Amino acid sequence: MKKLMTALALVVFATSLRAAYEAKWESIDKRPVPQWWKDAKFGIFIHWGPYAVPAFGNISKDGKFAWDCYAEWYQGFMLKGKKPYLDHHEKFYHNAPYGNFAAEFKAEHFDAADWAKLFKKAGAKYVVLTSKHHDGYALWPSPESPYYNSVAMGSGRDIAGEFCKAMREAGLKRGFYYSMLEYANPLYPGIRDGNPSPFALTPEEWNKRVNLPQLKELAEIYEADIIWPDGEWDYHSSRHCSEEYLAWLYNESKVKDTVVVNDRWGKDCRGRHGGHYTTEYVLEGGDKSGDGAEHPWEECRGIGNSFGYSRFETPKDYMSRERCVETLVNCVSRGGNLLLNVGPTADGRIPAIMQDRLLAIGRWLDVNGEAIYASSSWKKAPKGLAGIYFTQKGSNLYLISFAAGSKPISFAAGDVKAVTVLGAPSVNVKWSVKDGVLTVTPPAFANGEMPCEFAPVLKISRK
Ligand code: FHN
């Protein structure tokens, strides 16, 4: 009996130890971002839903990013009275209700295993799919969205389920984007650019009846590795009941020890609370966000100027292969991850230009992944070397150069043992050290000697 009591007491004690997180930011923010995510560096974002049917986004005049290029906002921009969207909708769809696109969202060529193959080849380590964007259409048969989901309307398929299975089988971590707001749901409390709905719930009711059950489904049914909320800006996190959800996620859910979350849990949260911080199209134009950030962070962006597929974009709207790699390197050298988006077509294919860019990143990572995965930013990196980035792993430094020419570069690097080219160990690199200052000349490669298409990496081994 005594033994039994002791065992029981131990179980109770262990359980109380495990309920480690209280439903307060103070406690929740203490949970470290899981190491697997910090090491991964490169993920794929997928924006896919009924907006892929019109696949229409504004085209920016100079090819540069502008928020109103987002094709996934098709319905939202119409509600906001944005002329190009209204004109397009009138001309080609005769002002039919947006919801009709859900029936046309057939996904007939969607093969999640094919997607997984592509993402693996791209060198990505994790994938985040929009389980539900601001239009409210769910990619899984959610009881809270019984008529407006991919099984009930459109493809007749549990897209989230197929996605998770294929990514898991391919060894990729996977998870879900989830929009807390729905711009046309009459139950949603926010005033969506018009009159409030007579059916609107309070934010607390909305969260208890819709968001929290759905967020729990994603964690429990699909065992998501990542929960990536968005559309949080209408309300404070206390009204979204975010702390309660996260305490449950971290203490009780099936994925409590490994799940990764972002910082979009309420209008008070970005850059302050939750898991990793997020930025969106901020590296565009040389913005220095993320520099020196001590907290894990992730930049997300499209390869072009939209997340949802925008079929009127042309190659000038897309980053070149080299720029895609530079964007990744730029993030990683500042200690961040890159979540690079693809927008599949309504029938489930990933547009060729996006495949091309992902495959180019993969070829580069095949040779140079050592400088990226599980690396960290080098805090003492010299500033002001245009097109040159540094990462660090153990005692090694990696110099990644997008700069043209072979001008010698000098900087304090400590006790250098050797300088070699990743993927081309036989290429001779000219280098010397004086008083701890390394002077290295990026090699001028002979024809066929360069191990990658651009941006060769110099590995600086130190004692
Ligand atoms: O409004 C959305 C947008 O459509 C897209 O999903 C991005 C991805 O980070 N998040 C929102 C804007 O921050």
Side-chain angles (χ1 to χ4, degrees), residues 51 54 56 67-68 70-83 85-86 89 98 101 133-136 181-184 192-194 233:
Y51 41 82
F56 176 83
W67 174 61
D68 66 357
Y70 284 0
E72 72 278 11
W73 265 82
Y74 189 88
Q75 183 182 25
F77 285 143
M78 285 200 291
L79 291 169
K80 282 181 178 294
K82 286 236 171 213
K83 203 163 153 33
Y85 289 83
L86 289 173
H89 198 63
Y98 173 84
F101 290 134
H133 203 262
H134 310 330
D135 61 2
L181 71 81
E182 289 186 23
Y183 28 48
R192 312 304 320 162
D193 309 306
W233 47 78

Side-chain angles (χ1 to χ4, degrees), residues 45 47 67 70 72-73 130 133-134 177 228 230-231 233 264 270 279-280 300 307:
F45 212 177
H47 273 62
W67 174 61
Y70 284 0
E72 72 278 11
W73 265 82
T130 47
H133 203 262
H134 310 330
Y177 166 106
W228 211 102
D230 189 28
W233 47 78
R264 299 186 178 186
R270 289 196 193 195
T279 60
E280 184 171 325
C300 68
F307 286 96

Side-chain angles (χ1 to χ4, degrees), residues 74 79 181 208 223 248 281 429 463:
Y74 189 88
L79 291 169
L181 71 81
K208 294 232 150 94
E223 298 185 26
W248 168 83
Y281 277 96
V429 185
K463 285 168 201 154

Side-chain angles (χ1 to χ4, degrees), residues 25-308:
W25 286 126
E26 214 188 322
S27 168
I28 286 161
D29 289 342
K30 291 206 175 102
R31 181 178 183 263
V33 172
Q35 193 62 38
W36 74 258
W37 186 89
K38 291 199 261 180
D39 289 345
K41 305 296 178 196
F42 179 36
I44 304 287
F45 212 177
I46 307 170
H47 273 62
W48 201 35
Y51 41 82
V53 176
F56 176 83
N58 213 2
I59 300 299
S60 84
K61 286 202 184 64
D62 48 9
K64 283 226 177 89
F65 168 72
W67 174 61
D68 66 357
C69 296
Y70 284 0
E72 72 278 11
W73 265 82
Y74 189 88
Q75 183 182 25
F77 285 143
M78 285 200 291
L79 291 169
K80 282 181 178 294
K82 286 236 171 213
K83 203 163 153 33
Y85 289 83
L86 289 173
D87 289 352
H88 184 82
H89 198 63
E90 184 180 6
K91 186 163 174 196
F92 296 100
Y93 302 103
H94 315 295
N95 291 330
Y98 173 84
N100 288 10
F101 290 134
E104 298 303 313
F105 181 55
K106 292 269 168 43
E108 63 271 36
H109 300 297
F110 167 50
D111 181 340
D114 267 3
W115 285 15
K117 235 183 267 165
L118 173 68
F119 303 152
K120 284 284 277 193
K121 273 191 160 173
K125 300 291 182 197
Y126 62 98
V127 190
V128 180
L129 170 71
T130 47
S131 63
K132 183 185 88 170
H133 203 262
H134 310 330
D135 61 2
Y137 180 84
L139 296 191
W140 83 104
S142 168
E144 291 72 36
S145 185
Y147 309 111
Y148 203 44
N149 71 60
S150 60
V151 173
M153 204 179 188
S155 65
R157 293 162 68 176
D158 175 2
I159 289 174
E162 292 183 36
F163 160 82
C164 269
K165 181 170 176 288
M167 299 306 144
R168 186 178 302 121
E169 283 171 3
L172 289 162
K173 298 277 189 188
R174 66 268 147 205
F176 296 107
Y177 166 106
Y178 177 84
S179 173
M180 296 203 178
L181 71 81
E182 289 186 23
Y183 28 48
N185 189 325
L187 299 180
Y188 183 70
I191 302 171
R192 312 304 320 162
D193 309 306
N195 297 318
S197 154
F199 308 105
L201 303 171
T202 65
E204 289 77 4
E205 279 167 352
W206 167 261
N207 282 295
K208 294 232 150 94
R209 276 172 57 177
V210 182
N211 285 352
L212 297 182
Q214 290 196 320
L215 284 164
K216 286 190 173 180
E217 286 157 34
L218 295 173
E220 292 293 83
I221 303 175
Y222 301 107
E223 298 185 26
D225 297 304
I226 300 161
I227 300 283
W228 211 102
D230 189 28
E232 80 291 11
W233 47 78
D234 283 341
Y235 299 105
H236 191 272
S237 58
S238 56
R239 307 204 74 189
H240 282 302
C241 315
S242 296
E243 290 146 297
E244 281 88 336
Y245 174 73
L246 285 167
W248 168 83
L249 189 69
Y250 293 171
N251 292 326
E252 293 173 48
S253 75
K254 285 187 188 161
V255 290
K256 60 183 169 24
D257 296 325
T258 49
V259 73
V260 167
V261 305
N262 71 7
D263 60 349
R264 299 186 178 186
W265 295 99
K267 63 177 174 190
D268 50 317
C269 290
R270 289 196 193 195
R272 277 196 214 115
H273 296 303
H276 63 78
Y277 297 164
T278 55
T279 60
E280 184 171 325
Y281 277 96
V282 298
L283 296 182
E284 193 68 20
D287 188 304
K288 293 283 180 290
S289 296
D291 246 0
E294 290 313 315
H295 192 87
W297 63 278
E298 174 185 67
E299 157 81 347
C300 68
R301 60 158 299 153
I303 302 175
N305 289 319
S306 172
F307 286 96

